[in-house]
Amino acid sequence: EAGVAQSPRYKIIEKRQSVAFWCNPISGHATLYWYQQILGQGPKLLIQFQNNGVVDDSQLPKDRFSAERLKGVDSTLKIQPAKLEDSAVYLCASSLYNSLGTSYEQYFGPGTRLTVT
Amino acid sequence: ILNVEQSPQSLHVQEGDSTNFTCSFPSSNFYALHWYRWETAKSPEALFVMTLNGDEKKKGRISATLNTKEGYSYLYIKGSQPEDSATYLCALNTGTASKLTFGTGTRLQVTL
């Protein structure tokens, strides 16, 4: 079974530029997550989708970050414009349907390492 | 804000040593605790999902225990090998849309 795919693996941009990351989850996984992992910190959830609907985006900086999951499969995360503090690894994960009180394993992609200069 | 703490922050052991790490969390409103292993340049890999007080799980040389009443989980590695070198993350699911809150991880380095 193919795992979670992400691209690109690495990206270097200058501040104020825009960048987009792509994620293809495991087939059949209804729930998709985007995490931001800043060096020295644990991954922080940015946004969670259930099929193509947003479940939680409370920690997404909406003035510069946006995400979509058209057709409930692939997802893109965009940053526009980027700031120095956005330098991090952006992880995508997917899982089976997650209802309240259910905790399925989340399967992660390899991440995109973003450096903003 | 839910605070999940892991200790130590980093650990350096010799091949063959046994070691353990701690994950601490508020003991209330708890659904499950997850352990992940994250090797450099690879995807984080799920190790265990633990839900019951007193739960103990094992996968090869790695095992984990959970104490929900006192709010901690231990991860044990018996006879560490260089391939065990990775960052070990724990994450708590409090049930709010099954959101995971991660600790900062324990970075393990195993040398020959």
Side-chain angles (χ1 to χ4, degrees):
Chain A
E1 181 181 76
V4 177
Q6 288 189 248
S7 67
R9 293 293 309 275
Y10 303 92
K11 190 74 177 179
I12 301 174
I13 62 172
E14 295 181 350
K15 59 184 179 183
R16 291 188 289 274
Q17 285 187 323
S18 301
V19 65
F21 313 129
W22 172 83
C23 174
N24 178 240
I26 292 173
S27 177
H29 281 192
T31 310
L32 185 146
Y33 314 79
W34 283 102
Y35 290 87
Q36 178 193 56
Q37 193 258 335
I38 294 173
L39 188 64
Q41 301 179 18
K44 180 184 79 173
L45 180 69
L46 292 176
I47 188 166
Q48 177 181 344
F49 292 95
Q50 195 87 290
N51 296 306
N52 61 351
V54 175
V55 174
D56 184 348
D57 63 357
S58 57
Q59 298 192 92
L60 186 74
K62 298 180 185 64
D63 57 334
R64 297 182 302 105
F65 285 65
S66 65
E68 61 182 9
R69 191 184 183 197
L70 299 175
K71 301 180 181 178
V73 182
D74 293 3
S75 177
T76 56
L77 176 69
K78 297 179 181 178
I79 308 175
Q80 181 180 12
K83 293 185 175 181
L84 295 176
E85 58 262 36
D86 298 332
S87 293
V89 175
Y90 291 84
L91 291 165
C92 178
S94 69
S95 71
L96 293 171
Y97 177 77
N98 265 335
S99 60
L100 185 66
T102 303
S103 195
Y104 291 111
E105 284 184 15
Q106 293 184 20
Y107 295 83
F108 284 83
T112 297
R113 182 175 296 277
L114 174 67
T115 302
V116 182
T117 62
Chain B
I1 295 177
L2 180 61
N3 195 25
V4 179
E5 297 184 351
Q6 290 188 247
S7 63
Q9 189 173 25
S10 63
L11 196 54
H12 192 163
V13 302
Q14 299 285 327
E15 182 182 16
D17 289 349
S18 293
T19 186
N20 65 85
F21 328 129
T22 304
C23 176
S24 303
F25 52 88
S27 57
S28 61
N29 297 324
F30 167 84
Y31 278 96
L33 184 138
H34 297 240
W35 279 102
Y36 287 87
R37 174 171 59 199
W38 192 4
E39 295 179 63
T40 302
K42 294 187 178 180
S43 305
E45 172 197 357
L47 291 174
F48 305 113
V49 180
M50 310 180 76
T51 57
L52 302 174
N53 186 47
D55 201 1
E56 182 171 348
K57 299 211 170 172
K58 188 174 181 180
K59 184 185 290 188
R61 295 179 292 100
I62 303 176
S63 61
T65 60
L66 177 64
N67 186 321
T68 58
K69 293 179 181 178
E70 297 187 21
Y72 65 83
S73 176
Y74 292 144
L75 187 77
Y76 301 90
I77 302 178
K78 183 179 178 181
S80 301
Q81 299 297 309
E83 57 264 32
D84 296 328
S85 298
T87 295
Y88 291 82
L89 293 163
C90 74
L92 201 66
N93 173 11
T94 57
T96 304
S98 298
K99 172 181 172 179
L100 289 184
T101 300
F102 281 85
T104 55
T106 292
R107 184 169 179 168
L108 173 67
Q109 188 172 358
V110 183
T111 53
L112 297 172

